[in-house]
Amino acid sequence: MRLRNVLRLGACGLALGLGLVGSASADTTDELLKQLKAKGILTEQEFQALSARRAEEVKAAPAAASGKVLEAADTGVGFKVGAVNVQISGSVNGFYVSDNADKPGATKNVVGGLASVGGNDTSSVRNGLLPGFLKFDVTTQQAGWDVGAHFGMYPGINSVSWAGGANSGGSPTALSTSGIDFRQTFLTFGKKGFGEIKIGRDIGLFGADAILSDVTLLGVGTAAGNATPSNTSLGRIGLGYIYTDFQPQITYTTPDMNGFKLSAGIFQPLATAGQNELNDTPGFQAKASYEGKAGAVTTKLWAGLLTQDHDPAVAGGPDYKGSGYDVGAKVGFGNASLLGYYYTGEGIGTTGLFILSADARGNKRDSDGFYIQGSYVIDKLTLAASYGESHLDLAKGEVNPTLLDTNKSWVGTVHYGLTDWVTLVGEYINTKAEAQGSNKASSDTVALGAILFF
Protein backbone atom coordinates (compact mmCIF):
# COMPACT_ATOMS: atom_id res chain seq x y z
CA MET A 1 0.00 0.00 0.00
CA ARG A 2 2.84 2.40 0.84
CA LEU A 3 4.48 1.74 -2.53
CA ARG A 4 1.20 2.37 -4.29
CA ASN A 5 0.82 5.74 -2.54
CA VAL A 6 4.35 6.74 -3.58
CA LEU A 7 3.55 5.79 -7.17
CA ARG A 8 0.36 7.82 -6.98
CA LEU A 9 2.22 10.91 -5.79
CA GLY A 10 4.86 10.53 -8.49
CA ALA A 11 2.22 10.01 -11.14
CA CYS A 12 0.34 13.09 -10.03
CA GLY A 13 3.50 15.22 -10.18
CA LEU A 14 4.47 13.88 -13.61
CA ALA A 15 0.99 14.35 -15.04
CA LEU A 16 0.67 17.88 -13.71
CA GLY A 17 4.17 18.75 -14.91
CA LEU A 18 3.34 17.61 -18.42
CA GLY A 19 0.04 19.47 -18.23
CA LEU A 20 1.82 22.74 -17.45
CA VAL A 21 3.90 22.46 -20.60
CA GLY A 22 0.80 23.46 -22.50
CA SER A 23 -1.70 22.41 -25.12
CA ALA A 24 0.99 20.94 -27.38
CA SER A 25 1.37 18.07 -24.90
CA ALA A 26 -2.34 17.61 -24.13
CA ASP A 27 -2.70 14.33 -26.05
CA THR A 28 0.40 12.87 -24.38
CA THR A 29 -0.81 13.81 -20.89
CA ASP A 30 -4.29 12.39 -21.47
CA GLU A 31 -2.80 9.10 -22.63
CA LEU A 32 -0.47 8.94 -19.61
CA LEU A 33 -3.35 9.46 -17.18
CA LYS A 34 -5.37 6.71 -18.89
CA GLN A 35 -2.47 4.25 -18.62
CA LEU A 36 -1.91 5.05 -14.94
CA LYS A 37 -5.60 4.40 -14.30
CA ALA A 38 -5.53 1.14 -16.27
CA LYS A 39 -2.56 -0.14 -14.24
CA GLY A 40 -4.44 0.54 -11.02
CA ILE A 41 -2.09 3.30 -9.84
CA LEU A 42 -4.85 5.90 -10.07
CA THR A 43 -8.42 5.37 -8.88
CA GLU A 44 -11.34 6.55 -11.01
CA GLN A 45 -11.85 9.47 -8.66
CA GLU A 46 -8.15 10.46 -8.82
CA PHE A 47 -8.16 10.11 -12.61
CA GLN A 48 -11.16 12.41 -12.99
CA ALA A 49 -9.74 14.99 -10.56
CA LEU A 50 -6.34 15.13 -12.30
CA SER A 51 -7.92 15.30 -15.75
CA ALA A 52 -10.13 18.19 -14.73
CA ARG A 53 -7.26 20.04 -13.06
CA ARG A 54 -4.99 19.62 -16.07
CA ALA A 55 -7.71 20.97 -18.39
CA GLU A 56 -8.21 24.07 -16.21
CA GLU A 57 -4.46 24.82 -16.03
CA VAL A 58 -3.96 24.46 -19.78
CA LYS A 59 -6.94 26.75 -20.42
CA ALA A 60 -5.66 29.38 -17.99
CA ALA A 61 -2.00 29.20 -19.04
CA PRO A 62 -0.67 32.33 -20.86
CA ALA A 63 0.64 32.19 -24.39
CA ALA A 64 4.18 32.04 -23.02
CA ALA A 65 3.38 28.54 -21.70
CA SER A 66 2.02 27.27 -25.00
CA GLY A 67 5.28 26.34 -26.64
CA LYS A 68 6.21 29.98 -27.52
CA VAL A 69 8.39 30.90 -24.55
CA LEU A 70 11.38 31.70 -26.77
CA GLU A 71 11.21 32.13 -30.51
CA ALA A 72 13.28 33.74 -33.22
CA ALA A 73 12.29 37.22 -34.38
CA ASP A 74 13.46 39.32 -37.33
CA THR A 75 16.14 40.62 -34.98
CA GLY A 76 16.71 39.47 -31.46
CA VAL A 77 14.64 36.97 -29.55
CA GLY A 78 11.28 37.32 -27.89
CA PHE A 79 8.13 35.87 -26.49
CA LYS A 80 4.42 36.53 -26.64
CA VAL A 81 2.10 36.91 -23.65
CA GLY A 82 -1.48 37.05 -24.79
CA ALA A 83 -1.64 39.81 -27.40
CA VAL A 84 1.63 41.43 -26.31
CA ASN A 85 4.93 40.84 -28.12
CA VAL A 86 8.17 41.32 -26.19
CA GLN A 87 11.34 41.47 -28.27
CA ILE A 88 14.89 41.67 -26.95
CA SER A 89 17.86 42.47 -29.19
CA GLY A 90 21.42 43.42 -28.46
CA SER A 91 25.04 43.74 -29.50
CA VAL A 92 28.48 43.39 -27.92
CA ASN A 93 31.84 44.34 -29.44
CA GLY A 94 35.47 44.79 -28.55
CA PHE A 95 38.65 45.66 -30.45
CA TYR A 96 42.39 45.81 -30.01
CA VAL A 97 43.37 49.21 -31.40
CA SER A 98 46.89 50.41 -32.17
CA ASP A 99 47.13 54.11 -33.00
CA ASN A 100 50.25 55.79 -34.39
CA ALA A 101 49.85 59.48 -33.48
CA ASP A 102 51.51 62.46 -35.13
CA LYS A 103 54.34 64.21 -33.27
CA PRO A 104 53.33 67.06 -30.93
CA GLY A 105 54.15 70.66 -31.72
CA ALA A 106 52.69 74.07 -32.48
CA THR A 107 52.33 73.20 -36.17
CA LYS A 108 50.12 70.21 -35.27
CA ASN A 109 47.52 72.22 -33.35
CA VAL A 110 44.15 72.08 -35.13
CA VAL A 111 41.12 73.23 -33.11
CA GLY A 112 38.43 70.67 -33.94
CA GLY A 113 40.92 68.32 -35.60
CA LEU A 114 40.32 64.58 -35.21
CA ALA A 115 43.77 63.16 -35.98
CA SER A 116 45.69 61.91 -32.94
CA VAL A 117 48.60 64.08 -31.80
CA GLY A 118 51.09 63.09 -29.12
CA GLY A 119 54.07 61.46 -30.76
CA ASN A 120 53.63 58.06 -29.07
CA ASP A 121 51.92 54.91 -30.25
CA THR A 122 48.97 53.91 -28.07
CA SER A 123 47.27 50.56 -27.61
CA SER A 124 43.85 49.86 -26.18
CA VAL A 125 41.13 47.26 -25.84
CA ARG A 126 37.98 49.24 -26.44
CA ASN A 127 34.56 49.57 -28.03
CA GLY A 128 34.24 50.62 -31.62
CA LEU A 129 31.86 53.23 -33.03
CA LEU A 130 29.02 51.31 -31.40
CA PRO A 131 29.07 50.66 -27.68
CA GLY A 132 27.18 47.53 -26.71
CA PHE A 133 23.41 47.79 -26.63
CA LEU A 134 20.39 46.01 -25.14
CA LYS A 135 17.00 46.95 -26.57
CA PHE A 136 13.50 46.06 -25.39
CA ASP A 137 10.46 46.50 -27.62
CA VAL A 138 7.00 45.79 -26.23
CA THR A 139 4.31 45.97 -28.89
CA THR A 140 0.65 45.06 -29.28
CA GLN A 141 -2.55 46.10 -31.06
CA GLN A 142 -5.25 47.96 -29.17
CA ALA A 143 -8.46 49.50 -30.53
CA GLY A 144 -7.15 49.06 -34.07
CA TRP A 145 -3.84 50.80 -33.33
CA ASP A 146 -0.36 49.24 -33.38
CA VAL A 147 1.27 50.58 -30.21
CA GLY A 148 4.69 50.07 -28.71
CA ALA A 149 7.09 51.04 -25.94
CA HIS A 150 10.79 51.03 -26.82
CA PHE A 151 13.86 51.19 -24.57
CA GLY A 152 17.54 51.07 -25.56
CA MET A 153 20.50 50.88 -23.17
CA TYR A 154 24.02 51.30 -24.57
CA PRO A 155 26.74 50.10 -22.16
CA GLY A 156 30.45 50.33 -22.94
CA ILE A 157 33.34 48.10 -21.93
CA ASN A 158 35.68 50.95 -21.02
CA SER A 159 35.79 52.90 -17.76
CA VAL A 160 34.91 56.59 -17.97
CA SER A 161 35.54 59.67 -15.85
CA TRP A 162 31.81 60.53 -15.54
CA ALA A 163 32.75 64.21 -15.92
CA GLY A 164 30.18 64.51 -18.70
CA GLY A 165 27.93 61.48 -18.41
CA ALA A 166 28.15 57.92 -19.70
CA ASN A 167 30.25 58.88 -22.72
CA SER A 168 32.80 60.96 -20.81
CA GLY A 169 36.51 60.70 -21.47
CA GLY A 170 38.09 57.39 -20.57
CA SER A 171 39.50 56.60 -17.13
CA PRO A 172 41.59 53.40 -17.43
CA THR A 173 42.47 53.14 -13.75
CA ALA A 174 41.71 50.51 -11.12
CA LEU A 175 38.20 50.49 -9.61
CA SER A 176 36.75 52.73 -12.32
CA THR A 177 33.41 51.88 -13.96
CA SER A 178 31.95 51.93 -17.45
CA GLY A 179 28.95 53.97 -18.50
CA ILE A 180 25.44 53.07 -19.67
CA ASP A 181 24.01 55.53 -22.17
CA PHE A 182 20.18 55.20 -22.10
CA ARG A 183 19.75 56.55 -25.62
CA GLN A 184 16.26 55.34 -26.44
CA THR A 185 13.00 55.82 -24.57
CA PHE A 186 10.07 56.34 -26.90
CA LEU A 187 6.52 55.28 -27.67
CA THR A 188 4.93 54.63 -31.05
CA PHE A 189 1.38 54.31 -32.31
CA GLY A 190 0.11 53.90 -35.84
CA LYS A 191 -2.09 51.93 -38.20
CA LYS A 192 -2.25 50.88 -41.83
CA GLY A 193 -3.06 53.85 -44.03
CA PHE A 194 -2.23 56.33 -41.27
CA GLY A 195 1.50 55.92 -40.70
CA GLU A 196 3.22 56.15 -37.34
CA ILE A 197 3.82 58.75 -34.63
CA LYS A 198 6.88 58.54 -32.40
CA ILE A 199 7.22 60.45 -29.11
CA GLY A 200 10.34 60.29 -26.96
CA ARG A 201 14.11 60.03 -27.33
CA ASP A 202 15.50 58.28 -30.42
CA ILE A 203 17.92 58.79 -33.29
CA GLY A 204 17.42 62.01 -35.27
CA LEU A 205 16.39 62.31 -38.93
CA PHE A 206 19.16 64.55 -40.31
CA GLY A 207 22.28 62.47 -40.90
CA ALA A 208 20.75 59.20 -39.61
CA ASP A 209 21.16 57.24 -42.85
CA ALA A 210 24.74 58.45 -43.18
CA ILE A 211 25.86 56.76 -39.96
CA LEU A 212 23.59 53.72 -40.33
CA SER A 213 25.10 53.07 -43.79
CA ASP A 214 28.71 53.67 -42.67
CA VAL A 215 30.84 50.50 -42.81
CA THR A 216 32.76 51.65 -39.71
CA LEU A 217 29.55 51.28 -37.69
CA LEU A 218 30.65 47.65 -37.25
CA GLY A 219 34.22 48.65 -36.44
CA VAL A 220 36.33 51.49 -35.07
CA GLY A 221 37.18 54.04 -37.75
CA THR A 222 39.02 57.07 -36.38
CA ALA A 223 40.11 56.14 -32.85
CA ALA A 224 39.69 59.35 -30.85
CA GLY A 225 41.31 59.34 -27.41
CA ASN A 226 42.92 55.93 -27.84
CA ALA A 227 45.27 56.40 -24.84
CA THR A 228 42.22 56.77 -22.55
CA PRO A 229 39.32 55.37 -24.59
CA SER A 230 35.71 56.18 -23.87
CA ASN A 231 32.75 53.98 -24.77
CA THR A 232 32.75 54.87 -28.47
CA SER A 233 35.23 55.68 -31.19
CA LEU A 234 34.39 58.16 -33.97
CA GLY A 235 34.01 55.89 -36.98
CA ARG A 236 33.45 58.44 -39.74
CA ILE A 237 31.70 61.01 -37.53
CA GLY A 238 33.19 64.40 -38.38
CA LEU A 239 34.96 62.84 -41.37
CA GLY A 240 32.14 62.84 -43.90
CA TYR A 241 28.99 63.50 -41.88
CA ILE A 242 27.71 65.22 -38.73
CA TYR A 243 26.56 62.93 -35.93
CA THR A 244 22.77 62.67 -36.00
CA ASP A 245 22.54 62.19 -32.19
CA PHE A 246 19.69 60.73 -30.12
CA GLN A 247 17.21 63.52 -29.44
CA PRO A 248 13.82 64.15 -27.77
CA GLN A 249 11.27 64.43 -30.58
CA ILE A 250 7.71 64.13 -31.83
CA THR A 251 7.92 62.65 -35.31
CA TYR A 252 5.40 61.45 -37.89
CA THR A 253 6.23 58.93 -40.63
CA THR A 254 3.89 58.23 -43.55
CA PRO A 255 2.90 54.72 -44.61
CA ASP A 256 5.13 53.01 -47.17
CA MET A 257 3.99 54.25 -50.60
CA ASN A 258 5.59 51.86 -53.08
CA GLY A 259 8.97 52.26 -51.38
CA PHE A 260 8.64 55.98 -50.62
CA LYS A 261 8.34 57.37 -47.07
CA LEU A 262 8.35 60.85 -45.57
CA SER A 263 9.20 61.66 -41.93
CA ALA A 264 8.98 65.03 -40.19
CA GLY A 265 9.13 66.14 -36.61
CA ILE A 266 9.80 68.77 -33.99
CA PHE A 267 12.88 68.32 -31.79
CA GLN A 268 14.23 69.57 -28.50
CA PRO A 269 16.48 72.49 -29.53
CA LEU A 270 20.20 71.93 -28.91
CA ALA A 271 22.30 74.78 -27.57
CA THR A 272 25.46 75.91 -29.33
CA ALA A 273 28.36 74.02 -27.75
CA GLY A 274 29.83 76.08 -24.89
CA GLN A 275 26.95 78.57 -24.84
CA ASN A 276 23.91 79.16 -22.63
CA GLU A 277 20.73 79.53 -24.65
CA LEU A 278 17.00 79.90 -23.99
CA ASN A 279 15.42 78.80 -27.25
CA ASP A 280 11.69 79.54 -27.53
CA THR A 281 10.92 77.39 -30.59
CA PRO A 282 11.65 73.71 -31.30
CA GLY A 283 14.05 72.45 -33.89
CA PHE A 284 12.64 70.91 -37.07
CA GLN A 285 13.91 67.93 -39.05
CA ALA A 286 12.49 66.04 -42.03
CA LYS A 287 13.57 63.21 -44.30
CA ALA A 288 12.30 61.64 -47.52
CA SER A 289 13.47 58.17 -48.50
CA TYR A 290 12.94 55.61 -51.23
CA GLU A 291 13.89 51.94 -51.45
CA GLY A 292 13.37 49.84 -54.58
CA LYS A 293 14.53 46.74 -56.39
CA ALA A 294 14.68 45.95 -60.10
CA GLY A 295 16.08 42.52 -60.83
CA ALA A 296 19.49 42.22 -59.20
CA VAL A 297 19.73 46.00 -58.62
CA THR A 298 18.69 47.48 -55.27
CA THR A 299 18.40 51.21 -54.70
CA LYS A 300 18.13 53.38 -51.60
CA LEU A 301 17.79 57.16 -51.85
CA TRP A 302 17.30 59.73 -49.11
CA ALA A 303 17.29 63.49 -48.49
CA GLY A 304 16.94 65.33 -45.21
CA LEU A 305 16.88 68.81 -43.75
CA LEU A 306 17.32 70.50 -40.39
CA THR A 307 16.64 73.98 -39.07
CA GLN A 308 16.80 75.54 -35.59
CA ASP A 309 16.87 79.02 -34.08
CA HIS A 310 19.45 79.90 -31.42
CA ASP A 311 18.41 82.56 -28.90
CA PRO A 312 20.89 83.82 -26.30
CA ALA A 313 20.18 83.56 -22.59
CA VAL A 314 22.10 86.81 -22.00
CA ALA A 315 22.45 89.94 -24.10
CA GLY A 316 25.28 89.72 -26.60
CA GLY A 317 25.24 85.93 -26.85
CA PRO A 318 24.95 84.01 -30.14
CA ASP A 319 21.69 84.79 -31.95
CA TYR A 320 21.36 82.97 -35.26
CA LYS A 321 19.51 80.31 -37.24
CA GLY A 322 21.24 77.07 -38.19
CA SER A 323 20.03 75.09 -41.20
CA GLY A 324 21.30 72.33 -43.44
CA TYR A 325 20.37 69.48 -45.75
CA ASP A 326 21.83 66.15 -46.79
CA VAL A 327 21.39 63.66 -49.64
CA GLY A 328 22.53 60.09 -50.11
CA ALA A 329 22.26 57.14 -52.45
CA LYS A 330 23.20 53.48 -52.16
CA VAL A 331 23.08 51.10 -55.12
CA GLY A 332 23.65 47.37 -54.92
CA PHE A 333 24.23 44.96 -57.78
CA GLY A 334 24.68 41.34 -56.80
CA ASN A 335 27.52 41.14 -54.29
CA ALA A 336 28.75 44.71 -54.91
CA SER A 337 27.45 48.00 -53.51
CA LEU A 338 28.37 51.66 -53.88
CA LEU A 339 27.31 54.55 -51.65
CA GLY A 340 27.63 58.32 -51.89
CA TYR A 341 26.62 60.97 -49.32
CA TYR A 342 26.80 64.78 -49.10
CA TYR A 343 25.71 67.40 -46.56
CA THR A 344 25.93 71.17 -46.35
CA GLY A 345 24.72 73.80 -43.91
CA GLU A 346 24.99 77.25 -42.37
CA GLY A 347 25.45 77.43 -38.62
CA ILE A 348 25.11 73.66 -38.00
CA GLY A 349 28.77 73.04 -37.15
CA THR A 350 30.95 69.99 -37.64
CA THR A 351 31.41 66.55 -36.03
CA GLY A 352 28.34 67.09 -33.78
CA LEU A 353 25.31 69.35 -34.22
CA PHE A 354 26.08 72.99 -33.34
CA ILE A 355 29.71 72.32 -32.39
CA LEU A 356 31.90 75.15 -33.79
CA SER A 357 28.79 76.34 -35.65
CA ALA A 358 29.31 80.08 -34.97
CA ASP A 359 31.85 82.47 -33.54
CA ALA A 360 31.38 84.11 -30.13
CA ARG A 361 29.20 86.86 -31.63
CA GLY A 362 26.86 84.42 -33.35
CA ASN A 363 28.23 84.83 -36.86
CA LYS A 364 27.52 81.55 -38.64
CA ARG A 365 30.18 79.25 -40.05
CA ASP A 366 29.35 77.29 -43.20
CA SER A 367 30.17 73.60 -43.30
CA ASP A 368 29.87 70.70 -45.70
CA GLY A 369 31.17 67.20 -46.24
CA PHE A 370 30.87 63.94 -48.12
CA TYR A 371 31.91 60.32 -48.16
CA ILE A 372 31.97 57.54 -50.73
CA GLN A 373 32.01 53.85 -49.92
CA GLY A 374 32.22 50.61 -51.86
CA SER A 375 31.95 46.99 -50.75
CA TYR A 376 32.08 43.50 -52.23
CA VAL A 377 30.95 40.21 -50.69
CA ILE A 378 32.73 36.90 -51.31
CA ASP A 379 30.86 34.17 -49.45
CA LYS A 380 31.38 35.02 -45.75
CA LEU A 381 34.00 37.69 -46.50
CA THR A 382 33.17 41.37 -47.07
CA LEU A 383 35.78 43.79 -48.38
CA ALA A 384 35.03 47.51 -48.11
CA ALA A 385 36.75 50.86 -48.48
CA SER A 386 35.62 54.44 -47.92
CA TYR A 387 36.90 57.99 -48.11
CA GLY A 388 35.34 61.11 -46.59
CA GLU A 389 35.89 64.76 -45.69
CA SER A 390 34.23 67.34 -43.46
CA HIS A 391 34.90 71.06 -44.06
CA LEU A 392 34.38 74.11 -41.87
CA ASP A 393 34.59 77.73 -43.10
CA LEU A 394 35.45 80.81 -41.09
CA ALA A 395 32.60 83.14 -40.16
CA LYS A 396 32.38 86.44 -42.00
CA GLY A 397 35.27 88.65 -40.84
CA GLU A 398 36.76 85.94 -38.60
CA VAL A 399 40.54 85.49 -38.26
CA ASN A 400 41.33 82.13 -36.69
CA PRO A 401 44.29 80.32 -38.32
CA THR A 402 44.25 77.28 -36.00
CA LEU A 403 40.53 76.57 -36.43
CA LEU A 404 39.69 73.43 -38.34
CA ASP A 405 39.40 73.62 -42.09
CA THR A 406 39.20 69.90 -43.02
CA ASN A 407 39.01 66.51 -41.31
CA LYS A 408 39.39 63.56 -43.68
CA SER A 409 40.10 59.84 -43.58
CA TRP A 410 40.69 56.71 -45.62
CA VAL A 411 39.27 53.44 -44.25
CA GLY A 412 39.85 49.87 -45.44
CA THR A 413 37.93 47.05 -43.76
CA VAL A 414 37.65 43.27 -43.86
CA HIS A 415 34.63 41.54 -42.29
CA TYR A 416 34.30 37.78 -41.88
CA GLY A 417 31.01 36.20 -40.80
CA LEU A 418 32.19 33.61 -38.31
CA THR A 419 28.60 32.69 -37.35
CA ASP A 420 25.16 34.19 -37.89
CA TRP A 421 25.76 36.32 -34.79
CA VAL A 422 29.53 36.94 -34.75
CA THR A 423 31.50 39.00 -37.28
CA LEU A 424 35.29 39.31 -37.15
CA VAL A 425 36.55 42.77 -38.15
CA GLY A 426 39.90 44.14 -39.30
CA GLU A 427 40.50 47.81 -40.21
CA TYR A 428 43.18 50.23 -41.31
CA ILE A 429 42.44 53.96 -40.94
CA ASN A 430 44.42 57.04 -41.97
CA THR A 431 43.10 60.30 -40.47
CA LYS A 432 44.22 63.85 -41.34
CA ALA A 433 43.28 67.25 -39.92
CA GLU A 434 44.07 70.60 -41.56
CA ALA A 435 43.61 74.06 -40.03
CA GLN A 436 42.62 77.32 -41.71
CA GLY A 437 46.31 78.26 -41.59
CA SER A 438 49.25 75.96 -42.27
CA ASN A 439 48.83 73.62 -39.28
CA LYS A 440 48.08 69.98 -39.98
CA ALA A 441 48.25 66.56 -38.30
CA SER A 442 47.79 62.90 -39.27
CA SER A 443 47.56 59.50 -37.59
CA ASP A 444 47.35 55.84 -38.62
CA THR A 445 45.27 53.20 -36.86
CA VAL A 446 44.90 49.42 -37.02
CA ALA A 447 41.93 47.73 -35.32
CA LEU A 448 41.19 44.01 -34.88
CA GLY A 449 38.20 42.58 -33.06
CA ALA A 450 34.68 41.23 -33.29
CA ILE A 451 31.08 42.33 -33.01
CA LEU A 452 28.04 40.21 -32.10
CA PHE A 453 24.40 40.93 -32.86
CA PHE A 454 21.42 38.93 -31.64
Side-chain angles (χ1 to χ4, degrees):
M1 179 66 77
R2 184 177 297 172
L3 175 60
R4 186 178 179 185
N5 288 337
V6 171
L7 290 172
R8 284 182 178 179
L9 290 173
C12 292
L14 178 60
L16 290 175
L18 287 172
L20 287 173
V21 171
S23 59
S25 63
D27 293 341
T28 302
T29 308
D30 289 341
E31 185 62 30
L32 174 62
L33 290 173
K34 290 177 182 179
Q35 290 185 19
L36 292 173
K37 174 190 172 186
K39 294 179 182 294
I41 297 173
L42 295 177
T43 66
E44 177 65 28
Q45 184 178 3
E46 289 169 340
F47 171 78
Q48 295 296 339
L50 283 172
S51 296
R53 183 175 174 184
R54 183 200 61 77
E56 291 174 359
E57 289 170 333
V58 169
K59 183 178 180 180
S66 64
K68 295 183 178 180
V69 174
L70 189 65
E71 58 187 13
D74 292 338
T75 58
V77 294
F79 57 90
K80 186 172 183 178
V81 181
V84 179
N85 294 291
V86 180
Q87 185 173 326
I88 305 169
S89 58
S91 178
V92 182
N93 71 77
F95 298 88
Y96 168 73
V97 179
S98 177
D99 187 46
N100 182 3
D102 209 343
K103 295 179 180 179
T107 61
K108 306 298 181 182
N109 181 29
V110 181
V111 177
L114 300 178
S116 301
V117 178
N120 298 315
D121 294 349
T122 60
S123 294
S124 67
V125 177
R126 62 181 294 175
N127 279 125
L129 175 52
L130 277 175
F133 66 77
L134 184 62
K135 295 173 63 178
F136 296 86
D137 297 280
V138 182
T139 58
T140 189
Q141 188 174 80
Q142 297 176 347
W145 291 88
D146 297 318
V147 300
H150 311 267
F151 307 91
M153 298 177 289
Y154 290 71
I157 66 172
N158 294 97
S159 300
V160 296
S161 66
W162 287 100
N167 292 321
S168 301
S171 179
T173 59
L175 306 182
S176 297
T177 60
S178 62
I180 299 179
D181 180 0
F182 217 125
R183 297 185 183 184
Q184 294 172 298
T185 309
F186 63 94
L187 66 89
T188 55
F189 60 92
K191 63 172 62 177
K192 185 177 180 180
F194 171 82
E196 182 181 80
I197 290 177
K198 176 194 298 182
I199 303 175
R201 183 185 181 96
D202 194 24
I203 195 169
L205 297 176
F206 178 82
D209 286 280
I211 189 170
L212 295 177
S213 302
D214 180 8
V215 70
T216 68
L217 188 66
L218 303 185
V220 175
T222 294
N226 198 54
T228 55
S230 183
N231 287 326
T232 67
S233 62
L234 281 173
R236 188 166 283 293
I237 294 172
L239 300 130
Y241 55 82
I242 296 176
Y243 182 48
T244 180
D245 224 321
F246 286 75
Q247 306 172 53
Q249 61 187 273
I250 300 175
T251 300
Y252 167 73
T253 299
T254 67
D256 188 309
M257 297 173 285
N258 295 318
F260 175 81
K261 285 186 178 181
L262 177 65
S263 298
I266 55 173
F267 287 70
Q268 163 65 34
L270 301 176
T272 308
Q275 299 292 331
N276 184 17
E277 297 178 356
L278 293 175
N279 297 311
D280 59 3
T281 57
F284 176 79
Q285 296 184 30
K287 182 181 72 172
S289 63
Y290 171 79
E291 293 188 51
K293 184 176 182 179
V297 179
T298 59
T299 303
K300 180 178 181 179
L301 308 171
W302 70 90
L305 64 88
L306 165 151
T307 181
Q308 183 194 310
D309 290 329
H310 294 264
D311 303 315
V314 295
D319 187 356
Y320 67 99
K321 182 176 183 177
S323 59
Y325 70 85
D326 66 345
V327 292
K330 183 178 181 179
V331 179
F333 184 82
N335 292 338
S337 70
L338 182 65
L339 180 147
Y341 173 80
Y342 173 77
Y343 77 90
T344 186
E346 298 179 351
I348 61 173
T350 188
T351 304
L353 289 172
F354 310 116
I355 295 176
L356 300 178
S357 53
D359 65 14
R361 296 172 295 176
N363 296 314
K364 295 183 288 187
R365 297 179 177 129
D366 295 346
S367 59
D368 64 2
F370 71 91
Y371 80 94
I372 55 175
Q373 176 179 290
S375 66
Y376 190 79
V377 179
I378 307 170
D379 194 20
K380 294 183 177 183
L381 191 70
T382 301
L383 306 176
S386 69
Y387 176 79
E389 299 182 1
S390 285
H391 304 279
L392 183 69
D393 293 341
L394 293 172
K396 185 177 181 180
E398 183 179 15
V399 178
N400 195 342
T402 61
L403 180 67
L404 173 72
D405 177 85
T406 303
N407 278 315
K408 53 188 175 182
S409 70
W410 282 98
V411 178
T413 70
V414 179
H415 295 169
Y416 179 76
L418 184 67
T419 73
D420 288 342
W421 285 15
V422 179
T423 299
L424 305 181
V425 180
E427 288 184 336
Y428 166 75
I429 308 99
N430 173 259
T431 305
K432 294 183 178 179
E434 299 173 354
Q436 298 290 332
S438 59
N439 286 9
K440 60 182 62 179
S442 65
S443 56
D444 294 282
T445 308
V446 175
L448 300 170
I451 186 167
L452 176 151
F453 291 95
F454 72 88

